[in-house]
Amino acid sequence: MIKKVLISMLLLTLVLVGCQKKPSLNEMVNDDTNDANKQQETTDITNNDDSDQSTANDEAIERLKELEDSLAEKDKIIDDLKSQNEDLNKKLDEKEEEDKKSDTSTVNNGSSSSKSSTTTTSNTSKKYFRVIVGSFDKKENATKLKEELIAKKIDAYVSPSNNKHRVIAGTFSQMKNATKRKDLVDKAGYDSFIVSE
């Protein structure tokens, strides 16, 4: 009797297993196709992300090049303006010296002609005292020192002399004024000396 029950249970199990729906070949192919589509979508998303990143990098590099070009142009403009400023300072210094000479001769020209001729001679021999802070072969070095002095509130300019570029911290008609300027330059930490020309 137990054998019959066991055999019945076994047959029942086999029937139940046999009744379960087995996937058809089409369903199995569709499942594989769906899996392949999902993998392709994942790959496409990854490729799109890589493409977007590459485009962003290209745009950043292009923008960086534009900024570098713009900076180079601005540096050139600044150099040109500095050069023009130096030329104007030189012309201004020359003009001031001419004005000083003409003022002195105008005052002296008010007297008799014999006095006027002696004054002219003394004007041409009048000496100016210049405070020299440096003399350089390269104009760039002289300009750098001049800018350092100006940053420390000391008037200075670059003047060519005998194939050199002198940095002058002032030109004075009186030695005492030149000495005051020299003391100011020395206190700022620069060596200087006075020449009479």
Side-chain angles (χ1 to χ4, degrees):
M1 176 97 175
I2 294 175
K3 282 186 179 179
K4 285 185 180 179
V5 172
L6 286 174
I7 291 173
S8 298
M9 288 177 62
L10 183 63
L11 286 175
L12 184 61
T13 305
L14 288 174
V15 169
L16 288 175
V17 170
C19 290
Q20 284 184 347
K21 183 178 178 185
K22 294 183 181 176
S24 67
L25 182 60
N26 284 339
E27 288 174 342
M28 288 175 24
V29 168
N30 285 342
D31 286 345
D32 288 344
T33 303
N34 288 339
D35 288 344
N37 286 340
K38 286 179 185 174
Q39 287 178 349
Q40 184 62 39
E41 287 174 6
T42 306
T43 303
D44 289 345
I45 289 171
T46 305
N47 288 341
N48 284 341
D49 288 346
D50 290 346
S51 175
D52 291 344
Q53 184 66 34
S54 175
T55 303
N57 287 344
D58 291 344
E59 289 173 0
I61 290 170
E62 189 175 320
R63 180 69 181 139
L64 185 61
K65 286 180 183 177
E66 288 173 6
L67 290 173
E68 287 174 348
D69 291 343
S70 174
L71 184 60
E73 288 174 19
K74 288 179 181 175
D75 284 344
K76 185 179 179 200
I77 291 170
I78 289 170
D79 289 342
D80 290 343
L81 290 173
K82 284 181 181 177
S83 176
Q84 290 173 6
N85 188 33
E86 289 171 12
D87 292 341
L88 289 173
N89 283 336
K90 183 180 173 187
K91 288 178 184 177
L92 183 62
D93 291 337
E94 291 171 359
K95 178 72 174 151
E96 285 176 0
E97 286 185 30
E98 287 175 16
D99 288 347
K100 286 179 187 176
K101 288 179 183 179
S102 67
D103 286 346
T104 309
S105 67
T106 304
V107 169
N108 292 329
N109 282 340
S111 54
S112 69
S113 62
S114 63
K115 269 188 170 182
S116 175
S117 64
T118 47
T119 353
T120 309
T121 311
S122 67
N123 271 347
T124 55
S125 65
K126 182 163 180 155
K127 301 224 176 216
Y128 288 95
F129 303 97
R130 299 183 199 281
V131 180
I132 308 297
V133 186
S135 182
F136 301 91
D137 290 327
K138 292 184 178 180
K139 188 175 182 180
E140 296 83 23
N141 295 336
T143 302
K144 182 180 175 186
L145 177 58
K146 177 196 82 165
E147 290 173 357
E148 287 177 14
L149 290 168
I150 290 172
K152 293 188 177 190
K153 308 281 190 240
I154 299 172
D155 290 330
Y157 61 94
V158 176
S159 175
S161 175
N162 297 329
N163 295 325
K164 298 272 186 183
H165 301 281
R166 294 192 305 179
V167 179
I168 301 173
T171 301
F172 304 93
S173 58
Q174 295 182 357
M175 181 65 168
K176 66 179 181 178
N177 294 333
T179 304
K180 286 180 185 176
R181 180 60 61 86
K182 180 186 181 319
D183 291 342
L184 180 67
V185 171
D186 291 345
K187 283 180 186 175
Y190 298 93
D191 292 330
S192 63
F193 58 93
I194 298 172
V195 295
S196 175
E197 297 178 329

